[in-house]
Amino acid sequence: MSPFEVAGPSSSTGPNSTSKVAAQFIGMGFPKEMDQAKPYSVGRNVSTEPSSSAFESNMYNISDDDSSLTSEESMDDLSGKDMPWTLLVEMGYDAQEVSIAIDKLGPDVEMTELIDHICAARLEKELQNQTTEPPLLDHEITQNENCFPFEKKRRHFERHSEARKREGHSKAIEKKHIVDGGDDQVLHLPNPMIGYGVPDNPWRKLERKLPDSANAPPYFYYENVALAPKGVWGTISRFLYDVEPEFVDSVYFSAAARKRGYVHNLPITNRFSLLPAPPLTIQDAFPLLRKWWPKWDERTKLNCVLTKPASAKLTEKIRTHLEAYGGDEPPLFVKKYILEQCRKWNLVWVGKNRVAPLDPDEIELLLGFPKGHSRGGGTSVSSRYTAVGNSFQVDTVAYHLSVLKRLFPNGMNVLSLFSGIGGAEVALHRLGIGLKNVVSVEICEVNRNIMRSWWEQTNQQGSLVEAADVEQVTGERIEQWIGVFGGFDLVIGGSPCSNLSGSNRVSRNGLEGDQSSLFFHYYRVLNHVKSVMGEQG
DNA sequence: AGAAACATGAGCAACTCA
DNA sequence: TGAGTTGCTCATGTTTCT
């Protein structure tokens, strides 16, 4: 199927859609298309002739309802073993060694354990071979590391911790907190959480040395929650070419906190902020609320925006508590309870004795989107909360992406995975960076509609290609896009955090979770883009 | 049927204090 | 230094409402 055909009905957006689509993905026999002996090598010819339809319209759609993918039989055939097997082979691991590992550890073993087992087996084999084979040449080592990032994890983190010691950070930066454990690799959350610097504190680091495998086109930028379960950021970093995450709290860019980790290979010097400067306190962001804000609520910043509003029952309860004391200040225990709830639910004072959750317009303002960005067009209020709550903080991301403006004065080709409501695109647009061709991959139809409306309203001159499901962004499609567009300048996205978030009490399964395991598709797609563009030179 | 409302802690790190 | 306390978190599953 041509990547430029018009979309059919959108795919399912329900909670179970991921596993269902994953099953379809396996059913289509995708791994067989890959050259398993040489991970991510591209054997087929890439057409450089643009599809004729590609030039007839500046907006294309891609349907995921390929008839070859809907075989009930192939769905039934799936065993628990197939899913990790397929994904690992997709990532470039040898089919045989994956099978051996699954046989040994069982079908229900976690992916990270499987990978560790495979790596351990390789190391063991390597050690055995060292007695009979000559040592690898430098270029052979580099090639090997490019294909299998796990194998050099220990060496890298050992080197890195040594380098950190030599650098001798300031006292504030030295006060770090371990967020990753296990083995001998350690990742830290900086305190303050300012990454390589924020507008008011940009001094931290002038330049950094990227691993060779990360120091090649395209630029990539990956985002997720900073406070993920132990080991998650170590895994993400190892897959993304051993690039150390940059942890930043958007509280330095906004009136609301948003602690996130970003793994990227962008330059870190000469960053600049979006204008106009965003309000940095609740009172500046919402001046009309000052009138009702009690002195005993000393908050000037909000916590991380949520995807669901507080219940009316809670705000009523708070009003009733306060009214019981007439106009007097309530006793300490009442104030304490109310402040707890205000912090937990990000409540603001909207009237006498009245608190309320932020409305979606206010959340958009805090996140740096234009007012009403997600409003209307069939979007329900609850789905709007979900959409904006899952998005980038635009000012933060734009600060990191600002270095691209001088590098791409004529605009960029962008592959945007897990686009959501278009935080990355809005950030680039607000930076004044032209969007030449954007491939936007987003499972949720509501979000795609919001993104498309924004694209049309802002009179973008480039082309928008929409795809629903990252699992169906096949190597073939990637190659076609690269053939038509001449490559991607940036691969950007933040994969689902639902299985990583501390708010999730039910299925906080880390990167093994149904949703958050989609990170591995970010890696798969990025790695394929790198391979194809690398071959093109 | 779909949207909205409601009830539901765990996990981790920062902080406090003896 | 270590035990105890405090605070925060891109949420999920079920029930109720429209």
Side-chain angles (χ1 to χ4, degrees):
Chain A
M1 176 176 186
S2 160
F4 300 127
E5 286 181 29
V6 177
S10 70
S11 63
S12 165
T13 57
N16 294 323
S17 61
T18 303
S19 53
K20 188 174 176 182
V21 177
Q24 291 176 333
F25 179 50
I26 295 162
M28 71 193 279
F30 183 80
K32 293 189 183 73
E33 295 177 11
M34 307 294 292
D35 179 353
Q36 291 174 9
K38 187 184 175 191
Y40 293 99
S41 67
V42 180
R44 67 181 63 78
N45 292 327
V46 178
S47 167
T48 53
E49 284 297 313
S51 151
S52 60
S53 62
F55 291 96
E56 287 165 11
S57 161
N58 71 341
M59 193 172 300
Y60 316 109
N61 291 294
I62 295 172
S63 171
D64 289 318
D65 57 350
D66 191 312
S67 59
S68 67
L69 311 182
T70 53
S71 161
E72 291 295 328
E73 284 176 6
S74 62
M75 300 264 295
D76 293 342
D77 286 345
L78 296 173
S79 69
K81 176 179 164 179
D82 288 340
M83 179 57 182
W85 184 90
T86 306
L87 206 44
L88 286 169
V89 171
E90 261 292 276
M91 286 175 201
Y93 289 90
D94 182 79
Q96 196 182 354
E97 64 186 0
V98 174
S99 296
I100 292 169
I102 291 175
D103 286 344
K104 190 155 187 177
L105 300 177
D108 299 326
V109 69
E110 291 192 352
M111 187 99 81
T112 45
E113 278 184 51
L114 273 175
I115 292 167
D116 275 337
H117 183 84
I118 293 167
C119 291
R122 284 183 185 174
L123 283 171
E124 198 176 327
K125 200 173 175 183
E126 214 172 86
L127 284 171
Q128 285 171 355
N129 290 343
Q130 274 175 6
T131 56
T132 53
E133 290 179 6
L136 292 174
L137 300 172
D138 281 351
H139 73 273
E140 290 172 327
I141 292 170
T142 308
Q143 205 170 29
N144 199 26
E145 286 185 345
N146 284 342
C147 297
F148 309 112
F150 259 72
E151 291 184 353
K152 57 176 177 175
K153 59 185 178 181
R154 296 189 180 179
R155 266 178 294 162
H156 172 76
F157 281 98
E158 279 168 5
R159 272 204 310 270
H160 216 85
S161 62
E162 284 304 310
R164 262 204 292 267
K165 282 177 194 167
R166 284 197 301 274
E167 279 178 24
H169 291 300
S170 72
K171 197 171 182 179
I173 301 302
E174 275 181 354
K175 190 183 176 188
K176 291 163 181 293
H177 306 285
I178 297 171
V179 294
D180 262 6
D183 295 336
D184 49 354
Q185 2 114 10
V186 175
L187 284 180
H188 297 97
L189 287 181
N191 184 10
M193 196 183 281
I194 60 172
Y196 296 124
V198 293
D200 288 338
N201 199 354
W203 49 266
R204 184 180 168 193
K205 204 163 185 174
L206 293 177
E207 200 40 274
R208 61 170 173 166
K209 176 90 173 80
L210 286 169
D212 288 345
S213 48
N215 219 353
Y219 284 112
F220 63 87
Y221 188 88
Y222 174 81
E223 179 257 16
N224 216 317
V225 291
L227 283 79
K230 280 186 178 181
V232 165
W233 276 107
T235 303
I236 291 171
S237 174
R238 287 195 298 271
F239 270 85
L240 299 180
Y241 316 101
D242 280 337
V243 175
E244 188 182 10
E246 177 175 10
F247 293 105
V248 181
D249 189 342
S250 293
V251 79
Y252 303 104
F253 295 84
S254 151
R258 200 168 187 82
K259 297 178 181 67
R260 295 291 179 272
Y262 305 89
V263 179
H264 63 86
N265 62 347
L266 299 167
I268 59 172
T269 53
N270 299 317
R271 288 169 166 178
F272 61 89
S273 306
L274 284 180
L275 292 173
L280 295 180
T281 65
I282 304 170
Q283 291 72 21
D284 286 347
F286 311 116
L288 295 177
L289 303 183
R290 286 181 186 178
K291 183 179 176 186
W292 308 110
W293 209 273
K295 282 182 181 153
W296 47 270
D297 183 350
E298 296 176 347
R299 288 177 301 157
T300 59
K301 296 280 191 179
L302 293 161
N303 284 332
C304 185
V305 296
L306 308 169
T307 56
K308 296 282 183 294
S311 67
K313 207 170 187 174
L314 175 64
T315 59
E316 185 193 9
K317 193 174 175 182
I318 290 172
R319 180 177 57 79
T320 310
H321 273 306
L322 289 170
E323 284 177 348
Y325 298 95
D328 299 333
E329 194 169 308
L332 188 61
F333 76 94
V334 174
K335 287 193 286 189
K336 194 178 170 190
Y337 166 75
I338 292 172
L339 285 174
E340 259 179 32
Q341 297 303 315
C342 286
R343 289 198 180 94
K344 180 177 178 182
W345 290 102
N346 256 349
L347 302 174
V348 292
W349 297 90
V350 296
K352 184 175 169 61
N353 298 332
R354 279 168 53 210
V355 292
L358 297 165
D359 67 39
D361 278 345
E362 292 167 332
I363 296 174
E364 284 167 351
L365 186 149
L366 293 171
L367 293 176
F369 286 92
K371 189 178 179 184
H373 178 79
S374 60
R375 190 178 185 188
T379 309
S380 70
V381 175
S382 60
S383 56
R384 199 177 163 204
Y385 269 107
T386 306
V388 295
N390 286 329
S391 178
F392 284 169
Q393 207 287 329
V394 170
D395 298 271
T396 310
V397 172
Y399 185 65
H400 297 158
L401 299 179
S402 63
V403 296
L404 296 170
K405 189 167 184 180
R406 62 186 161 83
L407 296 172
F408 297 95
N410 299 320
M412 303 183 73
N413 291 332
V414 179
L415 175 51
S416 172
L417 304 177
F418 317 104
S419 301
I421 59 173
E425 291 81 357
V426 172
L428 290 166
H429 178 68
R430 286 193 60 195
L431 284 164
I433 297 173
L435 298 168
K436 291 199 292 192
N437 298 289
V438 174
V439 175
S440 171
V441 183
E442 169 57 42
I443 189 85
C444 175
E445 187 180 8
V446 165
N447 289 349
R448 288 202 304 277
N449 290 339
I450 293 168
M451 164 70 184
R452 195 186 315 114
S453 294
W454 172 84
W455 184 271
E456 289 167 349
Q457 285 168 22
T458 51
N459 297 316
Q460 297 292 329
Q461 298 303 303
S463 307
L464 174 65
V465 178
E466 291 183 78
D469 191 344
V470 70
E471 297 189 28
Q472 294 185 14
V473 175
T474 61
E476 194 174 355
R477 280 181 173 179
I478 292 167
E479 288 152 29
Q480 283 176 317
W481 288 326
I482 290 175
V484 172
F485 303 147
F488 288 107
D489 303 308
L490 174 68
V491 178
I492 187 166
S495 58
C497 71
S498 49
N499 305 117
L500 311 181
S501 166
S503 299
N504 187 344
R505 296 181 294 281
V506 180
S507 55
R508 198 184 186 192
N509 309 328
L511 288 175
E512 304 305 316
D514 283 350
Q515 304 291 315
S516 295
S517 60
L518 292 174
F519 158 74
F520 295 110
H521 284 280
Y522 177 89
Y523 165 73
R524 175 183 64 80
V525 171
L526 170 62
N527 210 36
H528 199 81
V529 171
K530 278 174 77 74
S531 296
V532 176
M533 290 180 62
E535 288 201 350
Q536 289 181 346

